[in-house]
């Protein structure tokens, strides 16, 4: 099975939680892509109806529109039944790192408004502790004096050997712009992040920071697809 096969397996399993009439948070990324496709397929087959989707990015909005999934937004639907989305890392407490696809702000807003948040991953995303993999923990920041903010972020985590880097757009010439016209500063840790809640509070206290990619106590279910099959972990 390829990694994409595993992503598809997890995604299709998650869509089994979808019932007609639900208002759904539609995730972003290569795993959520399969879930959105599956929802569109079931709508077309008449196996699902009266679904309303709230997309977590412009690219998911476009994918959902192309599938004929009726869309709305959080202003109209401040409480959602269920969100399905991928993650970059999942720890043993079902805390997540998300945002390597750049959509963390809208994802956190949508998924924070859901009664249930089902995370879909292939087994490569499972970690003991967040941040230790040496992969990015994204922070969305305003463009104004981004370097000032990046330096303050880096200085919050000197003990964990943190390095802050501005995310470049594809091609590297200019900064990546989020759907909200902000920048992303990626934090790379050598050691573990440690107390996630404390780290979250310190990051969010910095004026200039919009949101970060740690999703703490948000997932209600994680569906993990591995070579030996599917595992479902509930909070
Ligand atoms: O950017 C995001 O938050 C995505 O959901 C990401 O975390 C997972 O993307 P993937 O399914 O392509 O690995």
């Amino acid at each position: 099975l390829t990694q994409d096969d595993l992503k598809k397996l997890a995604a299709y399993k998650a869509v089994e939680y979808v019932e007609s009439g639900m208002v759904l948070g539609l995730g972003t990324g290569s795993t959520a892509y399969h879930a959105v496709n599956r929802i569109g397929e079931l709508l077309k087959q008449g196996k699902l109806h009266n679904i309303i989707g709230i997309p977590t990015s412009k690219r998911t909005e476009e994918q959902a529109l192309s599938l004929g999934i009726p869309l709305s937004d959080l202003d109209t639907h401040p409480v959602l039944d269920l969100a399905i989305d991928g993650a970059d890392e999942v720890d043993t407490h079902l805390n997540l790192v998300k945002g390597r696809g750049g959509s963390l702000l809208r994802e956190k807003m949508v998924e924070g408004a859901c009664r249930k948040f089902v995370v879909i991953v292939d087994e490569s995303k499972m970690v003991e502790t967040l941040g230790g993999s040496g992969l990015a923990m994204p922070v969305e920041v305003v463009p104004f004096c981004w370097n000032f903010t990046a330096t303050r972020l880096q200085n919050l985590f000197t003990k964990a050997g943190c390095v802050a880097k501005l995310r470049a757009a594809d091609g590297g010439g200019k900064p990546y712009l989020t759907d909200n016209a902000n920048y992303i500063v990626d934090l790379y840790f050598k050691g573990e992040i440690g107390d996630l809640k404390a780290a979250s509070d310190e990051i969010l206290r910095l004026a200039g920071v919009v949101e970060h990619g740690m999703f703490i106590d948000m997932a209600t279910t994680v569906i993990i697809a591995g070579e030996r099959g599917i595992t479902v972990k509930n909070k």
Side-chain angles (χ1 to χ4, degrees):
L1 285 173
T2 67
Q3 189 182 27
D4 197 54
D5 291 337
L6 294 178
K7 292 182 176 192
K8 194 168 180 180
L9 273 175
Y12 278 44
K13 182 72 184 170
V15 174
E16 291 176 18
Y17 289 71
V18 176
E19 293 163 18
S20 290
M22 276 189 168
V23 180
L24 299 175
L26 303 177
T28 297
S30 61
T31 313
Y33 175 82
H34 290 302
V36 174
N37 266 352
R38 180 64 174 157
I39 291 163
E41 189 180 46
L42 294 176
L43 278 171
K44 198 171 288 155
Q45 294 169 358
K47 292 180 182 163
L48 270 181
H49 48 271
N50 300 335
I51 292 289
I52 293 177
I54 316 279
T56 54
S57 66
K58 290 180 181 173
R59 58 186 170 140
T60 294
E61 182 178 355
E62 276 144 35
Q63 180 193 3
L65 282 172
S66 73
L67 292 163
I69 300 173
L71 297 181
S72 186
D73 60 28
L74 290 175
D75 291 341
T76 315
H77 294 278
V79 178
L80 286 70
D81 297 298
L82 170 69
I84 300 174
D85 201 354
D88 298 297
E89 291 182 8
V90 181
D91 76 7
T92 51
H93 304 287
L94 308 192
N95 294 315
L96 318 173
V97 168
K98 284 177 59 51
R100 283 185 204 136
S103 319
L104 66 114
L105 176 63
R106 297 192 183 191
E107 288 173 339
K108 198 176 266 192
M109 288 177 72
V110 170
E111 285 141 22
C114 292
R115 292 194 183 91
K116 286 203 178 81
F117 175 23
V118 177
V119 175
I120 48 179
V121 292
D122 66 273
E123 57 192 353
S124 72
K125 308 294 187 67
M126 303 309 290
V127 296
E128 277 306 308
T129 55
L130 298 187
S133 66
L135 296 173
M137 200 291 277
V139 182
E140 183 155 338
V141 302
V142 297
F144 173 72
C145 290
W146 65 267
N147 198 27
F148 166 71
T149 304
T151 305
R152 295 174 85 196
L153 282 165
Q154 188 166 290
N155 292 344
L156 285 178
F157 304 106
T158 40
K159 285 192 299 301
C162 176
V163 173
K165 285 191 189 134
L166 179 70
R167 186 178 296 187
D170 297 342
K174 51 193 187 312
Y176 171 84
L177 269 188
T178 68
D179 285 348
N180 319 298
N182 291 317
Y183 288 171
I184 288 190
V185 170
D186 284 310
L187 301 184
Y188 295 87
F189 294 86
K190 287 198 180 53
E192 296 168 5
I193 297 176
D195 181 337
L196 300 182
K197 281 208 187 316
S200 172
D201 292 345
E202 286 175 68
I203 290 170
L204 294 174
R205 210 176 288 132
L206 297 179
V209 166
V210 178
E211 190 48 78
H212 62 72
M214 292 184 289
F215 285 45
I216 301 166
D217 290 336
M218 288 182 69
T220 52
T221 298
V222 176
I223 297 176
I224 307 151
E227 289 302 326
R228 286 183 306 286
I230 289 181
T231 309
V232 178
K233 288 190 172 184
N234 290 304
K235 190 72 178 172

